[in-house]
């Protein structure tokens, strides 16, 4: 797990984010048990991660619009490729980007990202907006975790053995970001297909 502090310029990504969400808006995904995730999400690129009563999967179509996901903005792709290369994963070619929107009080439970076909490719995560406490336990879901506070512009690359580590985000505390307000955005770039 490689942390690139203040690596991304979130101001440069903001308009790309808005254009994606104008086509595929944020929505709350349901789990197989019928619970809703507290974060809201969308996707861009060829494959988008979706969850509903049937389970988790990658889909070429946005179930909300019935159309393909908006294409990945060039500034998104360029950032993900540059960060992957800086972390030792040259040639990373993401085909999907999951967009998560957090408000104060929301969180992300411990999980592994395991719906992708190629675990040799890293996942590149970009944080924007207000701070969050990210945690990583390791190959097991339970046990001691390590906390990493992520701020606007921080990029995390999960590759090699860390690619399968359990991780999540603690309940967000209230704060405000000058451009994003009381919101945290997280972009995760994947090679899903
Ligand atoms: C988040 N991140 O930071 C959630 N997944 O909001 C993730 O779930 C994540 O940061 C895979 C690789 C890196 C990540
Ligand atoms: Fe994840």
């Amino acid at each position: 797990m490689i942390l690139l502090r203040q690596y991304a310029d979130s101001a440069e990504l903001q308009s790309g984010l808005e254009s994606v969400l104008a086509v595929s808006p944020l929505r709350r995904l349901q789990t197989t048990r019928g619970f809703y995730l507290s974060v809201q999400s969308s996707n861009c690129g060829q494959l988008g991660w979706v969850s509903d009563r049937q389970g988790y999967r990658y889909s070429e179509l946005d179930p909300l619009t019935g159309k393909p996901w908006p294409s990945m903005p060039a500034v998104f792709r360029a950032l993900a490729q540059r960060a992957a290369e800086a972390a030792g994963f040259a040639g990373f070619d993401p085909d999907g980007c999951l967009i998560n929107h957090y408000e104060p009080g929301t969180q992300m439970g411990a999980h592994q990202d395991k719906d992708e076909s190629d675990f040799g490719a890293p996942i590149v995560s970009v944080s924007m907006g207000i701070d969050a406490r990210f945690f990583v336990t390791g190959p097991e879901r339970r046990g001691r975790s390590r906390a990493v506070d992520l701020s606007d512009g921080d990029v995390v690359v999960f590759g090699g053995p860390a690619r399968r580590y359990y991780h999540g985000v603690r309940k967000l505390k209230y704060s405000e970001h000058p451009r994003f307000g009381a919101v945290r955005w997280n972009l995760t770039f994947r090679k899903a297909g």
Side-chain angles (χ1 to χ4, degrees):
M1 178 188 155
I2 291 165
L3 176 56
L4 304 167
R5 289 250 185 237
Q6 301 295 297
Y7 192 81
D9 178 359
S10 67
E12 192 187 277
L13 303 172
Q14 197 165 5
S15 64
L17 181 61
E18 283 161 10
S19 65
V20 166
L21 298 177
V23 176
S24 280
L26 291 175
R27 78 289 310 268
R28 284 209 163 80
L29 296 175
Q30 232 176 340
T31 66
T32 50
R33 294 179 169 192
F35 297 114
Y36 283 90
L37 301 182
S38 67
V39 304
Q40 297 184 68
S41 63
S42 185
N43 291 277
C44 61
Q46 216 173 311
L47 289 168
W49 188 84
V50 293
S51 172
D52 57 23
R53 297 300 304 255
Q54 275 71 57
Y56 309 127
R57 66 194 169 278
Y58 279 97
S59 168
E60 290 189 8
L61 298 180
D62 177 351
L64 200 63
T65 64
K67 296 189 189 130
W69 301 99
S71 60
M72 195 182 290
V75 285
F76 280 30
R77 177 184 301 279
L79 167 65
Q81 292 184 325
R82 199 156 46 84
E85 182 159 4
F89 297 91
F92 178 53
D93 186 21
D95 55 13
C97 171
L98 170 65
I99 299 166
N100 281 143
H101 169 276
Y102 295 75
E103 288 176 357
T106 64
Q107 62 190 323
M108 173 80 70
H111 67 276
Q112 265 177 324
D113 288 73
K114 55 175 186 213
D115 301 322
E116 301 74 28
S117 59
D118 177 8
F119 288 98
I123 293 183
V124 173
S125 152
V126 180
S127 293
M128 305 191 289
I130 66 174
D131 295 356
R133 176 153 286 185
F134 184 75
F135 67 91
V136 185
T137 55
E140 311 288 340
R141 182 190 294 273
R142 302 190 180 281
R144 279 182 68 89
S145 64
R146 222 174 114 171
V148 183
D149 289 324
L150 296 178
S151 304
D152 182 76
D154 289 349
V155 176
V156 179
V157 180
F158 262 52
R163 178 66 185 71
R164 293 167 188 274
Y165 284 4
Y166 281 89
H167 58 276
V169 178
R170 303 288 182 208
K171 196 172 276 198
L172 227 73
K173 294 210 173 97
Y174 187 90
S175 67
E176 287 177 21
H177 180 272
R179 266 178 297 99
F180 293 103
V183 169
R184 172 174 185 261
W185 294 95
N186 182 254
L187 310 176
T188 41
F189 294 89
R190 295 115 192 281
K191 178 93 185 91

